């Protein structure tokens, strides 16, 4: 076991957990006081949708992690990683366009349409960032993924506090900020993956074949990760459909309080487990 790497990964992971805790506090207890009931409902609708964005890489990220896990940066097939990343970009753009078209066809409300457009953009950014993050974890470079998470949360936290102090009551800037913070994390991951992008790429047919193989391997794991929030998600969707955005906001607020205190109780435990997993190396 590489104890030095274990300690370093632990410190970085706990720092990321601490920042996430502060963000959760602000989002759960302060933001609802600033946003009105309706605006808070749309803000929570976006967060609700964003929670399912990981479904739309269809297991590609998990498959790459399972196939490449345990290899060092020198050993990993950089051409295969780069080729599948290009396929991931194409896939996510198509998914985003599909959601935008669907929104135009079935969404009469301007506010709800904005939420879906923002979710489409967030899905593209988040899944590409997670792809590279999974590659870092596969190479036992968990610290890079933790740093990207810290950057994401810090870029979100600082303006968020300013919004709360200024009592900004429009939900749109909060959603834009949420997407922007994840984009900064994506840029960070791309910078630390630049040698992969310089390694070359397979032709489109072989790239798609390789990505399809990773999706086949990773789809079950991805589904397992998403399935634990499906039941509650269905209930929240029914509340939105039956009683409207204000009722959805009230239910979401109650759940956010529960989740916040759950996060306080268990973040240290999960952070420790993640650090141990990351620190077990060559």
């Amino acid at each position: 076991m590489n104890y030095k790497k274990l300690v370093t990964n632990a410190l970085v992971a706990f720092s990321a957990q601490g920042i996430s805790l502060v963000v959760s506090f602000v989002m759960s207890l302060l933001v609802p006081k600033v946003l009105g009931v309706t605006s808070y409902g749309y803000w929570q609708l976006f967060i609700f949708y964003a929670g399912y964005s990981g479904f739309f890489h269809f297991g590609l990220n998990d498959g790459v992690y399972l196939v490449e896990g345990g290899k060092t940066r020198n050993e990993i097939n950089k051409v295969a990683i780069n080729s599948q990343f290009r396929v991931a970009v194409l896939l996510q753009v198509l998914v985003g366009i599909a959601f935008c078209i669907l929104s135009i066809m079935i969404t009469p409300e301007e506010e709800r349409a904005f939420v879906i457009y923002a979710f489409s953009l967030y899905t593209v950014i988040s899944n590409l960032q997670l792809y590279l993050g999974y590659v870092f974890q596969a190479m036992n470079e968990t610290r890079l993924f933790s740093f990207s998470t810290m950057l994401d949360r810090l870029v979100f936290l600082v303006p968020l506090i300013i919004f709360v102090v200024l009592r900004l009551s429009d939900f749109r800037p909060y959603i834009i900020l949420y997407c922007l913070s994840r984009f900064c994390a994506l840029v960070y991951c791309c910078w630390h993956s630049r040698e992969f992008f310089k390694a070359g790429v397979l032709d489109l047919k072989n790239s798609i074949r390789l990505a399809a193989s990773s999706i086949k391997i990773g789809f079950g794991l991805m589904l397992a990760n998403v399935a634990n929030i499906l039941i509650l998600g269905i209930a929240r969707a029914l509340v939105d459909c039956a009683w409207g955005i204000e009722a959805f906001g009230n239910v979401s607020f109650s759940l956010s309080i529960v989740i916040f205190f759950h996060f306080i109780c268990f973040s240290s435990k999960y952070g420790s487990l993640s650090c141990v997993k990351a620190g077990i190396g060559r």
Side-chain angles (χ1 to χ4, degrees):
M1 179 181 293
N2 189 332
Y3 290 101
K4 183 177 180 180
K5 178 171 284 190
L6 174 61
V7 172
T8 302
N9 288 342
L11 290 174
V12 174
F14 279 124
S15 298
Q17 289 282 346
I19 296 171
S20 296
L21 180 61
V22 176
V23 172
S24 296
F25 171 79
V26 176
M27 288 178 60
S28 300
L29 302 179
L30 300 183
V31 171
K33 291 181 174 292
V34 176
L35 295 176
V37 176
T38 302
S39 288
Y40 182 74
Y42 284 117
W43 162 243
Q44 282 299 305
L45 187 65
F46 170 77
I47 297 297
F48 170 58
Y49 289 162
Y52 291 95
S53 61
F55 177 81
F56 296 102
H57 61 71
F58 303 110
L60 175 60
N61 297 355
D62 300 278
V64 170
Y65 175 81
L66 291 173
V67 171
E68 303 294 345
K71 299 178 183 177
T72 66
R73 187 173 283 257
N74 293 328
E75 296 169 345
I76 201 166
N77 189 336
K78 295 182 177 64
V79 173
I81 296 296
N82 188 26
S83 299
Q84 292 181 88
F85 182 77
R86 304 296 176 90
V87 175
V89 172
L90 177 61
L91 178 62
Q92 294 309 304
V93 170
L94 291 176
V95 168
I97 292 173
F99 276 119
C100 289
I101 293 174
L102 186 64
S103 175
I104 294 171
M105 293 174 59
I106 67 173
T107 307
E109 304 170 41
E110 178 184 346
E111 294 85 356
R112 193 177 293 269
F114 178 86
V115 168
I116 296 177
Y117 295 149
F119 164 69
S120 302
L121 176 62
Y122 177 82
T123 297
V124 175
I125 296 170
S126 179
N127 284 336
L128 294 179
Q129 186 262 335
L130 285 175
Y131 177 92
L132 298 175
Y134 275 41
V135 172
F136 294 151
Q137 293 182 86
M139 299 186 299
N140 199 26
E141 296 182 5
T142 310
R143 181 174 57 177
L144 290 177
F145 183 61
S146 296
F147 275 134
S148 71
T149 301
M150 290 174 63
L151 178 63
D152 176 15
R153 298 293 80 191
L154 282 172
V155 171
F156 181 68
L157 176 62
V158 176
L160 179 64
I161 293 174
I162 296 174
F163 288 174
V164 170
V165 171
L166 295 177
R167 304 192 66 83
L168 185 63
S169 59
D170 186 357
F171 70 93
R172 293 175 182 84
Y174 294 85
I175 292 178
I176 293 171
L177 177 61
Y178 201 89
C179 295
L180 178 62
S181 64
R182 186 54 62 94
F183 177 74
C184 291
L186 172 60
V187 172
Y188 176 87
C189 290
C190 286
W191 173 254
H192 286 281
S193 305
R194 57 192 183 278
E195 63 184 274
F196 290 89
F197 302 141
K198 297 176 182 178
V201 63
L202 299 172
D203 61 82
L204 182 60
K205 180 179 179 180
N206 284 319
S207 297
I208 293 175
R209 179 185 57 79
L210 194 61
S213 176
S214 294
I215 289 173
K216 183 178 180 180
I217 293 171
F219 183 81
L221 179 58
M222 178 277 302
L223 197 60
N225 291 333
V226 176
N228 63 337
I229 59 174
L230 277 177
I231 297 176
L232 183 59
I234 292 172
R236 293 177 68 187
L238 290 175
V239 169
D240 181 34
C241 293
W243 295 315
I245 195 66
E246 293 186 2
F248 178 85
N250 290 328
V251 171
S252 297
F253 173 71
S254 301
L255 290 173
S256 69
I257 297 298
V258 173
I259 292 171
F260 172 67
F261 285 107
H262 181 273
F263 182 81
I264 291 176
C265 294
F266 292 97
S267 60
S268 297
K269 173 185 175 182
Y270 291 147
S272 301
L273 290 175
S274 298
C275 294
V276 172
K277 177 182 176 183
I280 298 174
R282 295 151 290 277

